Amino acid sequence: MTALDDHLETLRGTDDLVSIDERVHWDGMAASIATEAARHNCPAVLFENTPGEVHFTSGVFGGPDQLASLDRRPWRRIAQALEFGSDCSYEAVIERLSRSRASTAALEADGEPAATGLADTDLYGLGLPTADDGSPLIELGIAIATRDGDTSWAPIRGIERRSTRLRLAVPSAFADWCGERADASVALGVGAAPLVAAFQGWTQDRTVPDVLGLATGIADVPLATVDSRVVPSEANVLIDGRLTVDGTGDDPSDRTAAWELSCETTTVDVSVDRVATREDPVVAFAPFEGPLTDDLHLASLVEAAQLFRRVNGYWGVSPVEWIRLPVEARLGLCIVSSEILYAGFEWQLANTLFSFSDLFDKVLVLDENADPANLARSIDDMWVKAHPGNDWIFSEPNAPSAATPTYRRDGETGSRLYINATWDPHWDEEYIAPQVTFETSFSDSVKDALEERWEALGLDDLIGPKRDD
């Protein structure tokens, strides 16, 4: 089961969650604390004492800066939330997500929603975190609508516009699928599987309306039915009403969620008829456009898994070991570790990746034995292993700007760059320098002496056991 509440308990058990018992107000205070927690690589944060109906949490799908952290991985919390295990490698995470397909098993929406109706429909009573202008934010949730008996879920970003109205940004393809008006629900405080599936279904260049099938193909997601709509039964907050497409309406807020970078969006309004919550409801939120936010981690992982699937089926073989889109500083960088099938293959690989995604304008190609957990080594290979004069290849300056980076936001064209940091496949192995490690740099006698000295000094008790990775 992938409910948000279960995920919070898992994070608590691994000492990756900090509970704040002091009273934290929803009016800007919670967002400021969450931003600083992400900036300083803190654990996930749970605000236990808030003035509204709901409590909030942040960082539950995020992770630390890989250039600074050595003992925690950026994808660890998402892997735990999807029940892949806290020790799941990055390669295993993207491979499992890339293999996820709409479940062919019958969807059994036989559960009851855990959220029960409130006495009134005043959205302000929920006490959600606010934007800079004081508008309560709707984040890290899903819109739920039905068409011709089929239900789909889509990612959302928006605000409470009035006590009984929401204004949301949704993928344009989802709005077209719904039609101009539709009965709809908004679910907040959901687990990772519904969010990841909603991203996979509507935010890339291929739409898959069967998001429920995608979600149940990733993890065990209990389902329930509300007014013919199939919803995650473990959602902490369910807001039911009528969705109206308003493509000419004002943008819901001055912030942009990461999932919006890979798709066109449309503004919709939801007239609210009913609000339901669980007992002690918890809602996840992300301080958008801050560092290392939850939505940025989710969007990056989903895009990497999609690229991994597509390029490994492009040549009829599977040369790529892994693909990463590092979220650190929104670098606009795609790192790919691959077998080099023939001379010039790295050029074809880079251009194929550029054709599949506009989230980055730089591709760094590494050898197949590169470690995805060591971002610093990847950056080091970019400067040391690749020759700027021969291996840094710029395109003509007529490429559109990438969507993710914060630089070059004027809409002007520019150059793309791919960097070949691999060994030439024509070289014999004896000409390829071995990777420098502790094991390869010293003789066995020196290593044995160092280990004996380490134990004699009792360094394990002072700084912890030696790391294997």
Side-chain angles (χ1 to χ4, degrees):
M1 187 179 297
T2 60
L4 177 62
D5 305 68
D6 298 329
H7 179 45
L8 291 172
E9 287 304 311
T10 300
L11 293 177
R12 198 188 305 275
T14 56
D15 295 325
D16 205 13
L17 178 71
V18 172
S19 295
I20 299 179
D21 297 323
E22 296 182 15
R23 194 165 182 82
V24 174
H25 205 275
W26 40 260
D27 191 8
M29 189 176 183
S32 297
I33 295 173
T35 298
E36 288 305 306
R39 191 187 308 278
H40 295 286
N41 294 322
C42 293
V45 179
L46 175 62
F47 301 95
E48 300 269 22
N49 189 354
T50 54
E53 182 73 23
V54 303
H55 308 306
F56 355 110
T57 185
S58 182
V60 290
F61 307 124
D65 180 353
Q66 198 59 43
L67 289 172
S69 177
L70 296 176
D71 58 349
R72 296 187 186 275
R73 305 305 186 200
W75 58 88
R76 175 179 173 178
R77 294 173 197 165
I78 298 177
Q80 287 176 299
L82 296 173
E83 295 187 325
F84 293 171
S86 60
D87 296 328
C88 189
S89 67
Y90 179 78
E91 297 98 314
V93 171
I94 64 166
E95 184 174 357
R96 291 183 67 168
L97 290 180
S98 69
R99 292 202 312 265
S100 64
R101 298 288 188 274
S103 175
T104 57
L107 297 175
E108 297 183 359
D110 54 0
E112 290 293 328
T116 57
L118 299 178
D120 56 56
T121 58
D122 183 7
L123 293 172
Y124 292 128
L126 293 175
L128 296 172
T130 62
D132 294 337
D133 63 358
S135 302
L137 295 169
I138 305 295
E139 304 174 342
L140 291 180
I142 54 174
I144 304 167
T146 301
R147 170 179 157 179
D148 298 331
D150 296 324
T151 299
S152 192
W153 303 342
I156 54 175
R157 186 262 307 172
I159 58 173
E160 296 174 9
R161 193 175 185 188
R162 290 197 294 271
S163 62
T164 58
R165 184 175 291 271
L166 302 175
R167 169 146 288 189
L168 306 174
V170 300
S172 297
F174 175 73
D176 294 339
W177 182 84
C178 292
E180 292 185 2
R181 294 176 64 85
D183 292 330
S185 296
V186 172
L188 303 177
V190 297
L195 292 173
V196 169
F199 283 20
Q200 289 180 323
W202 293 107
T203 66
Q204 297 169 328
D205 59 352
R206 297 179 181 179
T207 59
V208 182
D210 187 13
V211 174
L212 280 70
L214 290 173
T216 54
I218 295 171
D220 177 20
V221 182
L223 303 173
T225 301
V226 175
D227 296 338
S228 78
R229 296 183 297 279
V230 181
V231 304
S233 62
E234 297 298 323
N236 278 264
V237 176
L238 276 175
I239 303 170
D240 302 319
R242 186 76 172 170
L243 180 150
T244 304
V245 177
D246 184 9
T248 62
D250 296 334
D251 190 85
S253 68
D254 58 357
R255 309 193 307 167
T256 301
W259 61 264
E260 296 179 75
L261 302 175
S262 58
C263 67
E264 296 291 331
T265 61
T266 297
T267 301
V268 301
D269 286 335
V270 178
S271 300
V272 177
D273 299 325
R274 179 176 56 205
V275 178
T277 70
R278 297 184 62 169
E279 184 178 356
D280 296 325
V282 179
V283 171
F285 79 100
F288 292 151
E289 298 185 359
L292 306 169
T293 56
D294 298 48
D295 69 308
L296 193 56
H297 278 275
L298 287 166
S300 173
L301 198 61
V302 167
E303 185 77 3
Q306 168 82 332
L307 292 172
F308 180 80
R309 180 184 67 82
R310 295 182 72 174
V311 297
N312 265 341
Y314 191 74
W315 285 275
V317 293
S318 301
V320 173
E321 294 293 327
W322 52 266
I323 293 177
R324 273 196 70 187
L325 276 63
V327 302
E328 286 78 2
R330 295 176 68 171
L331 296 172
L333 174 65
C334 174
I335 304 177
V336 53
S337 169
S338 177
E339 177 187 1
I340 304 303
L341 300 178
Y342 44 79
F345 176 76
E346 71 286 344
W347 178 84
Q348 290 185 340
L349 176 60
N351 279 279
T352 302
L353 289 169
F354 282 134
S355 69
F356 286 158
S357 177
D358 63 355
L359 294 187
F360 47 84
D361 52 16
K362 298 176 292 296
V363 170
L364 172 60
V365 184
L366 303 178
D367 285 308
E368 58 186 307
N369 61 352
D371 180 8
N374 195 338
L375 180 58
R377 173 59 66 92
S378 299
I379 302 299
D380 188 53
D381 282 355
M382 180 176 72
W383 293 106
V384 176
K385 196 171 177 181
H387 191 289
N390 300 324
D391 302 317
W392 288 49
I393 311 300
F394 290 87
S395 72
E396 294 296 323
N398 54 8
S401 58
T404 302
T406 55
Y407 57 80
R408 198 154 65 86
R409 309 294 291 179
D410 54 7
E412 296 294 326
T413 59
S415 293
R416 286 171 172 164
L417 166 67
Y418 92 84
I419 303 166
N420 178 19
T422 65
W423 297 116
D424 191 320
H426 288 131
W427 287 10
D428 294 330
E429 287 196 11
E430 57 263 27
Y431 294 107
I432 298 177
Q435 183 174 328
V436 177
T437 63
F438 175 77
E439 288 75 17
T440 60
S441 300
F442 300 96
S443 65
D444 291 340
S445 59
V446 172
K447 289 185 288 185
D448 292 341
L450 286 173
E451 289 184 359
E452 292 175 2
R453 187 62 174 162
W454 182 283
E455 294 178 1
L457 293 174
L459 294 180
D460 280 345
D461 298 330
L462 293 176
I463 62 175
K466 300 183 292 299
R467 292 180 52 83
D468 295 329
D469 56 348

